[in-house]
Amino acid sequence: GTSPRKILEMTRRLWMPGGLLLPWDHYGYQFGITFPLAYLAHRTGDRQALHFLEREANFARMTITSSGWGYDQPIWTLLYWPDSREEGDAHAWQPWVEDGVGGVLVDPGGDNYLMQMWDLTAPMCSRTHVNPNSLVLARKGVPFTADGAEAHGCSALNYEGAVFERSFGAGASQTLNLSSGCAGSHNTILIDGNEALRPPTEEWHGKLADFDADSQSIAGDVTGLYASVYPDCRAVRRRSRLVENRFWLVEDLADFAEEHRVTSRWWFRPDACAVDGGVDVEAPEGALLQMRCVLGSDQAAVTRVDGYPVAPDGRSDRVDFEQHESQARWLYVLWPTETIETVRELTEGWD
């Protein structure tokens, strides 16, 4: 079985630069709980876990709404804080992969971060979201991509086939909207406008097709999900690369026996702006992503969606590229940088 140490190491892997947790499934971006990292650093000397505690974690986190957990985590963090005076390693970021889950490409300093996922989901995708080869992109701890759940009362996500009534008997019923969990709410390939894409009958997860930590390359095969809905599907794959620890290449293939309307869908934090050959995305924190399509249709349709996801902005920009082909390919170049300059670190000299 899985050892406690492996569980703690996987917990550490779920942290992104900047102290956020991966936004997959229903929870979106949240600050990480610190005491598992303190325990890992205490027992094993893990220097990346120690770095998270010293430089990345948010100890002013006050967003916990459940009385069942979380309130005592600062106490346990302090109890297990390592006694060693050795500092954490800010350059300990390493690529990783888990078959059936996904993987990360990242430079040693954590400046440029990409996560590609294909984890377990099901027809009732209320929490286990359908994210076949979806991507999370971040620059120096600032995420560009949007993911999570919709805000209460959001009417923007009502996908055909994802909204239905559930009866409990005695006249009691509930309207269930699975739209935020479907493939259309993630950075995925859509076929014939089917935003409600999800497994039709049983649980599903994608497959690792290739991973090379040295060359910073990862490929996921999600053909099985699409073939369960479209019998003529031959292959749906995505390969991502981190080039020279500086920018990303993303290559998509959707191969079918018959012609379809194929959409390459992306969700970005505001503001995304269509430009010649792609989009520019400028996050409120001053990070800029220049995305250019060098193969495939490069005309971007940008739509502002209010209420999705609920955090961190309460809105997002949906970006669609479309082709009408039996075999659709895209190749994207994504160049992250900043629009603001750091003049002085406010924490300088606090050690």
Side-chain angles (χ1 to χ4, degrees):
T2 303
S3 68
R5 178 166 181 168
K6 291 294 185 183
I7 294 173
L8 290 170
E9 288 175 344
M10 190 66 198
T11 300
R12 188 247 295 147
R13 286 176 170 182
L14 300 182
W15 280 59
M16 297 172 57
L20 293 172
L21 297 179
L22 284 168
W24 55 8
D25 295 343
H26 202 62
Y27 300 99
Y29 293 107
Q30 297 188 54
F31 291 113
I33 297 293
T34 52
F35 75 82
L37 300 184
Y39 187 70
L40 177 64
H42 172 77
R43 291 299 302 269
T44 70
D46 189 302
R47 295 185 65 200
Q48 189 180 27
L50 184 56
H51 167 70
F52 286 161
L53 294 172
E54 294 176 337
R55 303 293 181 183
E56 306 280 359
N58 185 340
F59 286 94
R61 178 178 183 268
M62 297 296 291
T63 59
I64 297 170
T65 57
S66 169
S67 61
W69 62 276
Y71 288 108
D72 59 347
Q73 73 105 4
I75 299 173
W76 290 108
T77 299
L78 293 175
L79 286 173
Y80 285 118
W81 197 284
D83 295 329
S84 172
R85 294 186 177 273
E86 185 177 15
E87 291 188 357
D89 188 354
H91 297 278
W93 290 92
Q94 295 180 348
W96 61 265
V97 71
E98 288 287 339
D99 193 9
V101 177
V104 162
L105 307 178
V106 61
D107 64 278
D111 286 346
N112 299 304
Y113 178 96
L114 176 149
M115 198 277 179
Q116 183 169 328
M117 64 189 79
W118 50 80
D119 59 314
L120 184 70
T121 188
M124 190 63 68
C125 55
S126 56
R127 289 199 178 187
T128 56
H129 284 193
V130 183
N131 43 33
N133 277 332
S134 188
L135 294 177
V136 176
L137 303 171
R139 167 72 174 172
K140 292 188 176 180
V142 177
F144 293 112
T145 47
D147 200 349
E150 74 275 20
H152 180 70
C154 172
S155 60
L157 303 184
N158 287 289
Y159 301 152
E160 183 178 352
V163 183
F164 54 92
E165 290 289 327
R166 184 165 60 173
S167 176
F168 299 99
S173 65
Q174 176 190 34
T175 300
L176 194 62
N177 187 351
L178 299 176
S179 296
S180 66
C182 295
S185 299
H186 300 86
N187 301 319
T188 60
I189 295 293
L190 302 178
I191 307 301
D192 298 329
N194 182 12
E195 297 175 303
L197 176 66
R198 60 190 188 275
T201 59
E202 59 186 17
E203 291 184 340
W204 171 90
H205 63 75
K207 298 178 180 179
L208 173 66
D210 182 61
F211 177 74
D212 190 321
D214 293 331
S215 65
Q216 295 269 27
S217 174
I218 186 171
D221 189 330
V222 295
T223 305
L225 173 63
Y226 291 83
S228 68
V229 179
Y230 307 99
D232 67 319
C233 177
R234 294 188 289 220
V236 179
R237 295 192 296 267
R238 167 172 283 171
R239 177 179 293 276
S240 301
R241 296 179 175 88
L242 174 59
V243 182
E244 299 294 329
N245 289 329
R246 185 60 190 88
F247 66 96
W248 302 293
L249 292 177
V250 176
E251 179 183 1
D252 282 325
L253 168 66
D255 187 15
F256 291 78
E258 301 175 3
E259 183 175 305
H260 292 272
R261 175 163 61 95
V262 185
T263 303
S264 173
R265 170 159 294 182
W266 299 78
W267 291 88
F268 292 113
R269 296 179 60 205
D271 291 310
C273 177
V275 298
D276 187 23
V279 294
D280 285 350
V281 181
E282 185 171 358
E285 298 86 355
L288 174 67
L289 178 66
Q290 295 173 293
M291 177 184 185
R292 299 295 182 268
C293 180
V294 297
L295 177 66
S297 60
D298 62 1
Q299 298 300 307
V302 181
T303 304
R304 171 60 53 86
V305 178
D306 292 320
Y308 175 78
V310 65
D313 308 294
R315 62 192 189 279
S316 59
D317 288 329
R318 186 183 68 221
V319 178
D320 288 342
F321 300 88
E322 285 194 356
Q323 297 185 40
H324 291 260
E325 303 284 352
S326 60
Q327 185 182 88
R329 292 180 180 271
W330 278 275
L331 178 62
Y332 299 102
V333 178
L334 301 104
W335 184 274
T337 185
E338 296 83 41
T339 59
I340 59 176
E341 180 183 356
T342 300
V343 177
R344 182 171 63 91
E345 291 282 354
L346 295 179
T347 57
E348 185 177 350
W350 282 18
D351 293 340

